[in-house]
Amino acid sequence: MPEGSALIPLIGLGTLQLRGRVCVDTVEQALRLGYRHIDTAEGYENERDVGEGLRASGVQREDIFVTTKISPSHFAPRELERAAKDSLMRLRLSQIDLLLLHWPNPQVPLSETLEALCGVKRAGLTRHIGVSNFEVTDIDEAVRHASEPLVCNQIEMNSFVDRPKLTAACRAHHMAVVAYCPIARGEANNDALLKRIGHAYGKSGAQVSLRWLVQQGISVIPCTSRIERLSENYSIFDFELSEAEMSEISSIARRRSRLATVMSPMRAFALKTLPAPATSVLRIGYRMLRRVMGGTAR
Ligand SMILES: NC(=O)c1ccc[n+]([C@@H]2O[C@H](COP(=O)([O-])OP(=O)(O)OC[C@H]3O[C@@H](n4cnc5c(N)ncnc54)[C@H](OP(=O)(O)O)[C@@H]3O)[C@@H](O)[C@H]2O)c1
């Protein structure tokens, strides 16, 4: 493992759609089942629930890898430090394992954001730092400005969305790739090819999609609110896809546009062109839209 790299568990629990009691119980059950990575974000408004689930599980803190993310609206240096402290307070932890910049924010110079992020790491608020939704050019720029190792890029990847150039760029910079939406919000389960391949192993389409990722060394963080699906999504280490099956899935993996990034061009344009009060109003509207859509936007 290169210097500065993080040991990120291959499977984790995503929590984007989880709130309140369901979130607490799901995190608790996931940890009891063996999950050791929990992914949250200040933007998910569930860090308190995630923290409660961690404690309820009884699993030792040092055995759990907790990722959270700073919202782009908090990328100005002072706000970033404040946001990291607020996340720790809501999670009721003394240290985060991995703190990510959630999305690029062209309104704040990346050099300043990176300096603040590295400072937060040096101050001991997080063990590791990284980014999310960064494209190849963003990564190159981020690495140039970072005085601490960036250990990860969390991006959308699943059996319908492959990102070979981006994953190669991450690897070139010794950054782990963590795949979000790894079962395409459940759609992997209905795909004819994945179902056919899974049938031979007694596995579902969702499990095949997850396996296709972990077999490439990519960590996955599927989200579910159903306890029975926690075990299903975790049971992907007792079979191996053949080279032919891996290639067959890869060959169909570019046929769909990304799910979570539908809003990103609009978001980037608004952040770049509008004054801060207008982007705040948009942010509130976006949150309301997310609630109406049942959490499908990130
Ligand atoms: N960095 C970012 O910008 C970003 C963006 C999006 C997501 N994320 C992170 O990545 C995590 C995962 O992504 P995601 O939640 O968007 O998508 P996902 O994990 O691909 O899909 C979650 C959806 O699939 C369903 N599901 C779960 N297991 C299933 C199974 N075995 N069979 C059929 N359906 C199943 C769930 O419904 P039920 O609850 O009914 O099981 C849920 O609606 C998020 O929770 C979040 O932590 C990060």
Side-chain angles (χ1 to χ4, degrees):
M1 197 172 58
E3 199 188 333
S5 301
L7 272 178
I8 303 175
L10 271 176
I11 179 126
L13 175 73
T15 64
L16 171 67
Q17 292 95 340
L18 308 178
R19 303 278 181 285
R21 197 70 242 162
V22 173
C23 182
V24 176
D25 293 346
T26 310
V27 169
E28 177 186 348
Q29 284 307 319
L31 290 167
R32 288 191 178 192
L33 274 168
Y35 285 73
R36 288 295 176 264
H37 179 193
I38 307 292
D39 179 79
T40 180
E42 61 165 315
Y44 300 171
E45 296 171 5
N46 62 8
E47 288 174 313
R48 283 178 208 282
D49 306 319
V50 167
E52 206 179 319
L54 300 179
R55 285 182 294 281
S57 72
V59 176
Q60 295 289 311
R61 169 66 188 100
E62 58 270 27
D63 294 334
I64 310 173
F65 192 92
V66 179
T67 297
T68 193
K69 315 181 195 83
I70 308 254
S71 297
S73 54
H74 294 146
F75 282 6
R78 264 205 213 143
E79 292 190 37
L80 189 145
E81 190 185 335
R82 177 80 265 148
K85 287 181 175 161
D86 287 348
S87 283
L88 282 171
M89 195 243 327
R90 286 187 294 266
L91 286 159
R92 286 180 53 203
L93 295 177
S94 56
Q95 193 178 45
I96 296 157
D97 294 290
L98 176 59
L99 183 64
L100 304 178
L101 301 178
H102 206 147
W103 290 80
N105 178 358
Q107 227 176 29
V108 183
L110 192 55
S111 55
E112 290 177 18
T113 304
L114 257 306
E115 200 182 319
L117 187 66
C118 293
V120 157
K121 186 196 164 208
R122 278 193 295 272
L125 275 60
T126 181
R127 285 171 57 218
H128 302 287
I129 53 172
V131 295
S132 176
N133 296 300
F134 272 43
E135 297 297 328
V136 175
T137 50
D138 303 318
I139 293 179
D140 291 341
E141 194 189 342
V143 168
R144 259 202 322 277
H145 292 306
S147 51
E148 296 286 331
L150 298 173
V151 302
C152 148
N153 189 16
Q154 188 183 116
I155 56 173
E156 178 171 349
M157 256 188 94
N158 55 55
S159 46
F160 308 114
V161 179
D162 199 3
R163 316 289 312 278
K165 283 194 185 134
L166 186 51
T167 51
C170 292
R171 287 192 170 125
H173 288 299
H174 307 298
M175 294 166 86
V177 176
V178 175
Y180 71 72
C181 297
I183 49 173
R185 303 227 155 114
E187 280 186 49
N189 240 10
N190 305 319
D191 183 79
L193 171 66
L194 300 181
K195 281 207 290 197
R196 171 174 59 74
I197 291 177
H199 188 71
Y201 300 100
K203 298 289 177 183
S204 66
Q207 289 170 311
V208 173
S209 184
L210 294 170
R211 180 71 209 181
W212 176 74
L213 288 161
V214 300
Q215 215 166 300
Q216 300 174 63
I218 293 171
S219 296
V220 294
I221 46 170
C223 176
T224 182
S225 52
R226 302 199 205 175
I227 303 300
E228 70 277 11
R229 282 181 172 167
L230 282 176
S231 332
E232 178 184 339
N233 296 344
Y234 192 76
S235 304
I236 53 168
F237 299 102
D238 55 355
F239 73 113
E240 191 172 341
L241 297 169
S242 67
E243 264 180 48
E245 289 163 338
M246 289 293 288
S247 312
E248 205 176 350
I249 298 169
S250 300
S251 70
I252 59 143
R254 278 178 206 93
R255 68 190 178 189
R256 173 91 54 84
S257 63
R258 284 171 267 155
L259 293 164
T261 42
V262 175
M263 302 287 284
S264 66
M266 283 191 306
R267 179 205 316 270
F269 180 75
L271 284 171
K272 204 171 208 157
T273 55
L274 298 175
T279 51
S280 297
V281 171
L282 280 180
R283 228 169 256 124
I284 293 165
Y286 182 69
R287 253 187 221 164
M288 287 165 71
L289 176 69
R290 200 178 77 189
R291 290 215 172 102
V292 172
M293 290 168 75
T296 51
R298 64 95 201 153

